[in-house]
Amino acid sequence: MWAYILKRLLLMIPTLIGIVTITFVVTQFVPGGPVEQLVSQLRGHGAGGEAGSAAPQGAYRGRQGVDAARVEEIKKLYGFDKPAAQRYVQMLGRFARMDLGKSFFQDKTVWQLIREKLPVSISLGLWTFLFTYLISVPLGIAKAVRAGTRFDTSTTFIVLAGYAVPAFVVGVLLMVLFAGGTFLQWFPLRGLTSSGWEQFSLLHKVTDYLWHIALPVTALTLGEFAVITIMTKNSVLEEIHKQYVLTARAKGVGERQVLWRHVFRNALIPIMTGFPAAFIGAFFSGSLLIETLFSLDGLGLLSYDSVVRRDYPVVLGTLFFFTLIGLVTKLIRDLAYLWVDPRVKYD
């Protein structure tokens, strides 16, 4: 098994290099880079690099109207005075030392930005993960045991509705109903905590925090629990019809004992082995639209803003970090099979 782990760890290196390389190459051909962004701001046109009026129609004019020497100074500031190959090698060297670089437009390193945004993503991801599995697994088991009954049919409609309706649509509906829309104003619209949260008592801090995350977590949970519910139901149904279950019943084993001692243990193997990926992924795959809708400054919003502003160190640094986390999580998921199912061998 140790040889398998070592092989997987070594394979992570070319995977990381490949993903970062493709992204780096793409950034070299995207118009409106950081130099054009800053030049456009100096010209008083915002951050979009808009076209001027003197250049031919259809041409990119992000640098027009700024002295060429000033443009060269800006290129040197961002390191674009060096050849792309040299910048690429320097970037790989930094990543090898786990130095993700520094933002072009914020006086902070990429690590600092990630640490600042991580609490929001952890809050959304952790609670969404817990509620999703606490609802989905029991519901999936109940649907499998009562397959074909009125309970199964009615809950299937609810599950399919949750799967079909996007999380941001649920979020908008919750805001309209409970956050100062047309109906009630029970919940806040912005942030994870109220102003002056540091001066609150412990109980007040907890209730204020839960008050703020109630709507976004509800929206994310309703948008994600359907897949786990159906997976659990199908897995339990598959195990119920296997030969060992029929044998246990023929020997007179009680139905409850058959379900919980035999079926439940084997049916949850694919669910349990997905725990590491779902647990870690929940922190970093928070909905950008949910963060925007409820004004939550998390990692999703950070990634989106860095792409829009062409903040390449943040784009490449966060991509490297997320990819590394994803590869390690997949390795942990595969090793989890060994823990829950001794029949699996990686020799």
Side-chain angles (χ1 to χ4, degrees), residues 100-312:
L100 302 185
K102 187 175 181 179
S103 169
F104 284 155
F105 302 105
Q106 304 182 60
D107 189 24
K108 297 178 182 178
T109 65
V110 178
W111 279 121
Q112 287 177 313
L113 292 173
I114 291 176
R115 285 195 297 267
E116 288 179 1
K117 314 299 182 182
L118 199 55
V120 173
S121 297
I122 289 178
S123 295
L124 291 177
L126 180 61
W127 290 111
T128 301
F129 170 83
L130 290 176
F131 283 122
T132 298
Y133 276 87
L134 287 175
I135 295 172
S136 301
V137 174
L139 181 59
I141 295 173
K143 286 175 61 64
V145 173
R146 299 171 176 82
T149 64
R150 183 177 299 177
F151 171 82
D152 183 32
T153 305
S154 59
T155 53
T156 297
F157 174 78
I158 298 174
V159 169
L160 292 179
Y163 181 75
V165 180
F168 77 92
V169 174
V170 177
V172 171
L173 180 62
L174 292 175
M175 289 180 62
V176 171
L177 293 176
F178 304 112
T182 308
F183 298 93
L184 305 172
Q185 191 172 358
W186 289 353
F187 296 94
L189 288 174
R190 300 180 60 86
L192 283 181
T193 57
S194 301
S195 58
W197 185 81
E198 294 79 6
Q199 284 74 41
F200 294 168
S201 65
L202 179 60
L203 179 60
H204 193 183
K205 285 183 177 180
V206 172
T207 54
D208 182 76
Y209 167 74
L210 296 176
W211 183 48
H212 278 76
I213 68 169
L215 293 187
V217 168
T218 300
L220 288 172
T221 301
L222 292 177
E224 296 184 6
F225 84 103
V227 175
I228 306 299
T229 300
I230 298 300
M231 184 186 302
T232 303
K233 175 190 174 182
N234 293 339
S235 183
V236 172
L237 282 176
E238 182 181 356
E239 294 296 325
I240 285 178
H241 294 96
K242 286 187 176 179
Q243 186 63 41
Y244 74 89
V245 176
L246 300 177
T247 303
R249 287 171 175 169
K251 290 181 178 181
V253 179
E255 192 65 28
R256 182 178 296 273
Q257 189 174 4
V258 169
L259 177 63
W260 296 109
R261 288 195 59 184
H262 300 284
V263 174
F264 182 74
R265 179 185 301 177
N266 292 310
L268 287 191
I269 287 178
I271 308 298
M272 293 179 63
T273 52
F275 274 7
F279 185 72
I280 299 298
F283 297 156
F284 303 106
S285 60
S287 172
L288 167 64
L289 294 175
I290 291 295
E291 291 184 9
T292 305
L293 189 63
F294 292 97
S295 300
L296 300 172
D297 193 9
L299 291 173
L301 202 56
L302 171 66
S303 301
Y304 174 76
D305 287 341
S306 62
V307 171
V308 171
R309 300 182 66 183
R310 308 296 194 269
D311 198 347
Y312 293 150

